[in-house]
Every structure is written in C-alpha cells, then in structure tokens.
Amino acid sequence: MSQPSPIVFVVDDDISVRESLELLIQQEGLCVETFTSAQEFLDRPRTFVPSCLVLDISMPGLNGLELQKRVVAERPDMPVIFVTGHGDIPTTVKAMKAGAVEFLTKPISDEALLCAIHGSLARSKALLGRDEELRSLRARYAHLTSREREVFGLVVTGLPNKQVGGELGISEITVKAHRGSLMRKMAADSIAELVNMAIRLHLKRPNASSVVLNR
C-alpha cells in the first residue's frame, strides 16, 4: 500500500504570507493547505497522516498561542512551527515551553523553515506510527479470552507454569496451552516480548483471577 502524503497546514491572516508560504512549500514537493484563521483550521476534519502546522502568533479571534494549546491537547502528533513578525522573548519562551518545535521571525529564512518542516513531518510520522502500533496491540489483547488474559498477567511477572496453574486452579498443561495460544494471538515470539507488551498496555499484576487493562 502507498504511504499517505504528508500535509503542511499554514494558518496566517496575511494573504501575502499565506501565498508565499504555499508556493515555497509546494516547490519543495509537499502538499500544503492554507487557512485564514485558527477557527477555519479547527473546522477542517482531522486527518491521520503525517503533518505539521505553520502558525502565526497575532491573528483575529483565536491567536496562535491559543490554537497551539488546542493542537497540543487534541492533535499531539502534529508539531507546531511559529512564524511571526511580532516575536518577543516572553512569547517565544511561552510557545517553546508549550511544545513548539521552532519559532521563526519574519522575514523567514526559506532554508530554516523547510528544515523545520521536514523535521516536523518526520516526527509526526514517528508519533503516528507508535500510536498505530499501540492501537494494534490493544486490539490483539482485546481478542484474548478472559483465561488467556489471566495467564498473560501472571506469566509476565516471571511465575513458572506450575505456579500460574496453582494461582488459577488449573493444570500446568492447561497453562501451557493457554500461554501458547495467547502468544500466537499477541504475535509474541518470547516471554520477554510479552513483558514489553504488558508494559506498553499498562497491565497490572492480577489478583489470582483478574487482569486489569488501564485505559
């Protein structure tokens, strides 16, 4: 399957800035979408492809810092790059502390902006990849039977099959069967891999008969 094309979103109320940024980004061979306001951008349906946001600070309605706060909370896989003609040290510090990857002052260096964009898109792709892996892991876990989850939760604590069987009131042979089945379902090649999965799923050690998956 072909990989989805990354998108660079530009939000700036100055039409000349929007058009110049759009041209620059298109010449780099990247897909770009421009918006005149923060609200216009927020109204666009979310898309799960690598992306970044090139954002002005001073705009009517929601300003850049306010939009950044929304993006960080709702779209953590979308890095933010600020471009502004009204930068000052307190604003820059506030933006960077909130997670901006770059804060560029107009007139902007094309090289600096494109470097920030490429770095942000690579970061977004990695974040989306981790999210997809975790969703897949949770889906596999959801397909385990209740008994397999119980065995999973005890096996990853290092208990031998005989002791797992003792805690659950089943035979060692039955434990082995459940363990083999859950490892196939989880696509795990070793107990060490199962332990890593349990950590990523935030599994708690069961009290003899239950495994709780934190959400």
Side-chain angles (χ1 to χ4, degrees):
M1 294 178 62
S2 60
Q3 295 296 314
S5 298
I7 303 174
V8 180
F9 296 105
V10 176
V11 180
D12 198 307
D13 63 322
D14 187 328
I15 186 172
S16 63
V17 173
R18 286 199 311 275
E19 290 180 345
S20 64
L21 290 178
E22 183 177 26
L23 180 60
L24 173 66
I25 295 166
Q26 286 177 336
Q27 288 176 338
E28 190 69 6
L30 296 170
C31 179
V32 58
E33 295 184 20
T34 64
F35 303 85
T36 61
S37 68
Q39 191 57 55
E40 185 183 3
F41 169 74
L42 291 172
D43 289 340
R44 184 200 188 281
R46 184 176 179 182
T47 180
F48 291 90
V49 300
S51 61
C52 68
L53 177 59
V54 179
L55 178 61
D56 189 18
I57 286 283
S58 301
M59 297 183 294
L62 285 175
N63 64 35
L65 291 175
E66 291 168 334
L67 177 56
Q68 179 193 24
K69 187 181 297 185
R70 292 279 299 272
V71 170
V72 169
E74 300 171 11
R75 312 181 189 192
D77 52 271
M78 182 183 293
V80 176
I81 302 166
F82 276 106
V83 293
T84 181
H86 308 283
D88 55 58
I89 293 177
T91 301
T92 303
V93 170
K94 189 172 183 179
M96 299 305 284
K97 282 187 174 181
V101 297
E102 189 62 87
F103 196 102
L104 303 172
T105 303
K106 301 171 184 176
I108 307 162
S109 160
D110 291 353
E111 183 179 355
L113 176 59
L114 292 174
C115 181
I117 286 174
H118 282 296
S120 295
L121 293 177
R123 178 179 174 183
S124 178
K125 182 178 180 180
L127 290 170
L128 285 171
R130 284 198 289 270
D131 287 346
E132 177 57 34
E133 287 175 5
L134 186 54
R135 283 194 294 271
S136 174
L137 190 59
R138 285 172 172 163
R140 280 178 271 157
Y141 183 83
H143 280 87
L144 299 182
T145 65
S146 58
R147 181 63 85 190
E148 287 168 347
R149 293 186 190 189
E150 291 168 354
V151 173
F152 188 168
L154 290 167
V155 165
V156 296
T157 66
L159 295 180
N161 291 336
K162 186 174 182 178
Q163 194 169 342
V164 170
E167 290 218 29
L168 297 178
I170 58 179
S171 69
E172 183 177 356
I173 293 176
T174 302
V175 171
K176 288 181 180 179
H178 285 308
R179 192 175 81 171
S181 177
L182 75 89
M183 289 185 72
R184 285 192 298 274
K185 290 181 179 179
M186 295 301 295
D189 295 324
S190 66
I191 295 298
E193 196 169 352
L194 275 183
V195 171
N196 181 263
M197 291 176 178
I199 292 171
R200 296 186 65 191
L201 289 168
H202 300 292
L203 293 184
K204 291 182 179 179
R205 190 188 189 285
N207 293 321
S209 62
S210 64
V211 173
V212 179
L213 176 59
N214 287 339
R215 298 187 184 279

